[in-house]
């Protein structure tokens, strides 16, 4: 059940085991991929996993996605939007609390943006420990749950471009993919002795891309969606059983 498409009476009468809250960002993804890539990916994984979970007798409500996240590291690239970690944490926490108010007391935050990871870990811990809130929440990041492919995660590189080619091929500017590769960084950051000296992505990437977007295709995107969705179903079942 997608909350944005349901009526309040349908939600009232539903027997929901767990909610998925997709979160992403609105930020640069190079010259070839849309600003909404992270939210699009998070929502797609949440929707696919919700269908698979239902077949396994775990009923899921999918909340509307959070489209703006902790993305100040991309601020030098036009169109990027961001909020402070404090604002982001408060928004996610209060959304979980509103779900809990209606009796949906188990929530998996489905994340599509690396910059959100730290804030989400803290938020889900705090809301779960709060005696005044009857809720238990965990955070799940899709690109950390794709097996060996996780090591290829950059930014608007192989994995994200492949997933977009599967989910929304019309949004990939294919005529710009070679230029995206040519202006990309090989890795995220500027490292010395385990310390990243670069706070913003424009310090090490000419066009905001990290990795090679030419090396992935829709078949890989389909595999990524399959792996991430199956992993999310396992997490959801564990959260329900806990």
């Amino acid at each position: 059940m997608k909350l944005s498409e349901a009526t309040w009476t349908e939600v009232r009468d539903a027997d929901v085991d767990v909610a998925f809250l997709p979160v992403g960002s609105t930020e640069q993804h190079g010259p070839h991929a849309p600003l909404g890539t992270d939210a699009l990916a998070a929502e797609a994984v949440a929707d696919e996993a919700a269908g698979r979970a239902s077949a396994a007798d775990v009923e899921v409500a999918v909340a509307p996605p959070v489209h703006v996240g902790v993305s100040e590291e991309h601020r030098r690239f036009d169109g990027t939007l961001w909020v402070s970690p404090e604002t982001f944490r408060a928004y996610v926490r209060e959304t979980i609390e509103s779900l809990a108010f209606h009796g949906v007391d188990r929530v998996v935050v489905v994340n599509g943006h690396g910059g959100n990871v730290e804030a989400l870990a803290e938020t889900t811990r705090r809301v779960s420990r709060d005696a005044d809130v009857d809720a238990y929440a965990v955070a799940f990041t899709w690109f950390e749950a794709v097996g060996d492919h996780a090591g290829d995660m950059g930014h608007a590189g192989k994995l994200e471009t492949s997933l977009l080619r599967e989910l929304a091929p019309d949004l990939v500017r294919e005529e710009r993919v070679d230029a995206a590769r040519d202006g990309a960084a090989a890795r995220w950051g500027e490292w010395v002795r385990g310390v990243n000296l670069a706070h913003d992505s424009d310090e090490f990437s000419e066009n905001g891309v990290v990795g090679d977007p030419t090396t992935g295709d829709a078949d890989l995107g389909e595999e990524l969606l399959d792996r991430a969705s199956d992993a999310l179903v396992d997490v959801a079942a564990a959260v329900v059983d806990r």
Side-chain angles (χ1 to χ4, degrees):
M1 178 174 58
K2 292 178 74 74
L3 291 183
S4 60
E5 298 174 1
T7 68
W8 77 266
T9 54
E10 290 167 343
V11 177
R12 177 196 62 191
D13 296 338
D15 186 15
V16 175
D17 295 307
V18 61
F20 290 162
L21 174 60
V23 300
S25 65
T26 299
E27 65 182 35
Q28 70 85 12
H29 275 77
H32 68 295
L35 296 168
T37 293
D38 290 346
L40 187 157
E43 187 172 21
V45 171
D47 287 345
E48 179 67 22
R52 298 185 186 197
S54 181
D57 295 323
V58 176
E59 294 306 317
V60 180
V62 181
V66 178
H67 285 278
V68 179
V70 184
S71 299
E72 193 172 4
E73 67 271 23
H74 299 293
R75 62 199 171 106
R76 299 298 183 188
F77 294 94
D78 295 293
T80 296
L81 306 178
W82 67 90
V83 294
S84 69
E86 294 79 13
T87 297
F88 179 74
R89 288 195 299 264
Y91 191 95
V92 171
R93 179 188 175 104
E94 291 174 22
T95 301
I96 294 171
E97 289 175 351
S98 64
L99 288 165
F101 181 85
H102 297 296
V104 183
D105 61 355
R106 299 186 182 248
V107 179
V108 180
V109 183
V110 183
N111 178 45
H113 171 50
N116 294 339
V117 170
E118 184 177 349
L120 289 175
E122 181 181 357
T123 299
T124 54
R125 284 195 300 265
R126 285 184 176 273
V127 75
S128 299
R129 291 168 176 163
D130 191 338
D132 295 327
V133 180
D134 185 17
Y136 175 71
V138 297
F140 170 92
T141 297
W142 76 263
F143 50 81
E144 295 177 349
V146 292
D148 293 341
H149 294 301
D152 292 326
M153 184 60 181
H155 185 73
K158 180 179 180 178
L159 297 197
E160 289 184 300
T161 304
S162 296
L163 188 58
L164 282 171
R165 284 173 170 145
E166 165 65 14
L167 298 174
D170 291 346
L171 294 181
V172 180
R173 282 67 166 177
E174 293 291 352
E175 71 280 6
R176 302 178 191 166
V177 171
D178 286 346
R181 174 201 59 206
D182 294 343
R187 63 180 300 198
W188 183 276
E190 182 183 343
W191 296 86
V192 175
R193 297 279 187 170
V195 176
N196 183 9
L197 304 182
H199 296 296
D200 292 341
S201 58
D202 68 300
E203 297 177 56
F204 52 84
S205 176
E206 176 185 325
N207 62 9
V209 178
V210 177
D212 186 351
T214 69
T215 56
D217 56 21
D219 288 340
L220 175 58
E222 182 179 11
E223 180 185 349
L224 296 172
L225 180 63
D226 183 64
R227 286 179 177 238
S229 300
D230 276 351
L232 180 52
V233 171
D234 289 343
V235 171
V239 166
V240 171
D241 290 342
R242 186 177 174 80

